[in-house]
Amino acid sequence: MTLALAAPAHWFRTFGRPPRILGLDVARGLAILGMAGAHIGETTPFDPFDPGTWLDLVHGRSSILLAVLAGISIALMTGRGEIPDPARMPSIRLHLLGRGAVIFVIGLALEMLNTPIAVILTLYGLLYVAVIPFLRWRPGTLLVASGILALAGPALLALVGVLAMYPYGAGISLVLYGSYPITVWLAFVFGGMALGRLRVERIETAVVALGVGFGLMVIGYGLGLVGAIAGVGSSDAGMGAGSASGWSSYPEALADADPLGAVLLAIFGVDPHSGGTAEILGSGGFALTVIALCLLLSRPLRWPLLPLGALGSMPLSAYSAHVLSVALIGGPGGFFQSNAFWGWTVLGLLLVTTLWSMFVGRGPLERLVGRAAIAMASAPGVRAVR
């Protein structure tokens, strides 16, 4: 009995303490639960004056939140607030390559379950590899790159799409014009990396991030509102559940658009997964605001937030368990929306991950990815990642 009580007592005292940052785990937990809601929840188009519609915010924004957090994690594992030393770069590159490869394979395995979910893990695996050339960039450079991708990337992609007669292929869909175009998502990862390099654990950093995030929301969703009034982008100023004009329905989104119309659509597109500049700014700001609030609230509210932190400490395992549950309950290719199913998913994930964290520790897939990364980085003559 004493041993049975010792593990939970020790966990309550130590989990989420430095050097681990509980606020980031809480934000990851919210992102996973939000993505589950986007996949299986029943929501109605967002109306800021109707709290009953606020669950619709999970669409698009949850995955963006996870992307920004991925950038922060990359910064933390490659030097935290310091630019990694050149002598360590060979090990760091192999570490990220191994991590990205295993995540990519897990994503492929989840896609083999044949659920209607657009599995994001394949993109995440690629992102870990895509950021390797930029690991020694300073925060200011990362922010500039993020801004350029946000402001110019969507319009350039739209213009190329129209002029090239709507190209289509597996690689193009995966990297440029699918539900998760890597050019768009690099903007979120670069922003997250910059935040991670700026000592994200400090209260001052969180306060600044909160202000910046709110400002980006005003700019991005304001741009979407202008586009809606002008009849470009979205009829609901980007706060609704979906749009026929989004990149997720590419190439249909541009089938009737001329070059100018395509560019305008890319600038003012603000619907979830539209990949428009307005969505990148608005939903990126939303993610930044959520992260900042989690960092600030995790200090005074540590105990009640521990289950969310436990879930967020094993996001890969929790996400995979959610997709597997959809496959088991809905059957191959089957799908249904149910807030009851979403609610049971939330309770199940919180309970299982909390107990696992208490008695086992690191999540099972996180262990697998970590071992693969260490094995990849332990080549003879290569310095290990600390």
Side-chain angles (χ1 to χ4, degrees):
M1 180 66 70
T2 302
L3 292 176
L5 294 176
H10 180 265
W11 184 83
F12 275 107
R13 287 195 309 269
T14 61
F15 181 78
R17 301 290 190 186
R20 193 162 194 98
I21 304 173
L22 179 61
L24 297 181
D25 285 332
V26 171
R28 287 191 200 95
L30 290 174
I32 294 298
L33 297 182
M35 292 183 74
H39 298 153
I40 61 177
E42 297 174 291
T43 62
T44 52
F46 179 81
D47 179 351
F49 304 106
D50 182 3
T53 67
W54 290 2
L55 288 177
D56 190 57
L57 291 173
V58 299
H59 290 280
R61 297 164 187 84
S62 301
S63 52
I64 288 173
L65 173 58
L66 204 59
V68 177
L69 288 163
I72 296 175
S73 296
I74 290 170
L76 295 180
M77 73 176 64
T78 58
R80 299 184 79 90
E82 303 295 332
I83 304 299
D85 186 271
R88 297 180 60 231
M89 287 305 297
S91 174
I92 290 174
R93 292 189 191 103
L94 290 174
H95 184 94
L96 291 180
L97 183 61
R99 181 175 292 271
V102 176
I103 293 175
F104 185 86
V105 171
I106 293 173
L108 290 181
L110 293 179
E111 289 182 351
M112 291 293 291
L113 296 175
N114 196 26
T115 68
I117 296 173
V119 175
I120 199 172
L121 295 186
T122 49
L123 168 71
Y124 271 60
L126 291 177
L127 287 173
Y128 274 94
V129 178
V131 300
I132 289 176
F134 315 107
L135 293 175
R136 300 195 74 248
W137 280 13
R138 299 189 178 278
T141 307
L142 290 168
L143 289 175
V144 169
S146 178
I148 291 173
L149 286 173
L151 297 175
L156 288 176
L157 277 179
L159 188 60
V160 169
V162 173
L163 296 180
M165 301 295 292
Y166 329 120
Y168 180 81
I172 289 175
S173 178
L174 178 65
V175 176
L176 295 180
Y177 296 118
S179 297
Y180 306 112
I182 196 169
T183 48
V184 170
W185 289 76
L186 273 175
F188 302 128
V189 175
F190 282 162
M193 289 174 64
L195 183 58
R197 291 277 184 250
L198 292 171
R199 301 190 182 279
V200 67
E201 70 275 8
R202 296 171 53 184
I203 294 179
E204 297 86 348
T205 303
V207 171
V208 172
L210 182 63
V212 173
F214 183 78
L216 287 174
M217 279 198 295
V218 171
I219 294 171
Y221 293 135
L223 188 64
L225 179 61
V226 171
I229 294 174
V232 179
S234 170
S235 60
D236 58 9
M239 303 301 282
S243 167
S245 63
W247 287 118
S248 57
S249 58
Y250 187 86
E252 291 85 354
L254 298 179
D256 299 318
D258 58 19
L260 178 59
V263 169
L264 291 176
L265 182 64
I267 293 173
F268 292 101
V270 72
D271 285 317
H273 300 296
S274 67
T277 293
E279 186 205 10
I280 297 174
L281 295 177
S283 296
F286 180 86
L288 197 58
T289 301
V290 170
I291 292 170
L293 288 173
C294 290
L295 289 168
L296 294 171
L297 294 176
S298 63
R299 297 171 184 265
L301 300 178
R302 176 179 175 271
W303 278 52
L305 290 177
L306 284 179
L308 262 178
L311 171 59
S313 70
M314 50 188 85
L316 182 59
S317 298
Y319 179 89
S320 300
H322 156 61
V323 176
L324 180 60
S325 72
V326 172
L328 292 175
I329 295 176
F335 181 66
F336 63 91
Q337 289 184 301
S338 166
N339 282 342
F341 183 25
W342 182 14
W344 283 111
T345 297
V346 169
L347 292 176
L349 288 177
L350 288 173
L351 178 61
V352 171
T353 55
T354 298
L355 292 175
W356 185 283
S357 181
M358 280 183 183
F359 294 101
V360 182
R362 200 175 187 188
L365 293 184
E366 284 71 20
R367 289 174 183 264
L368 174 64
V369 171
R371 289 174 180 172
I374 291 174
M376 193 76 169
S378 61
V382 179
R383 292 180 60 185
V385 178
R386 293 189 297 272

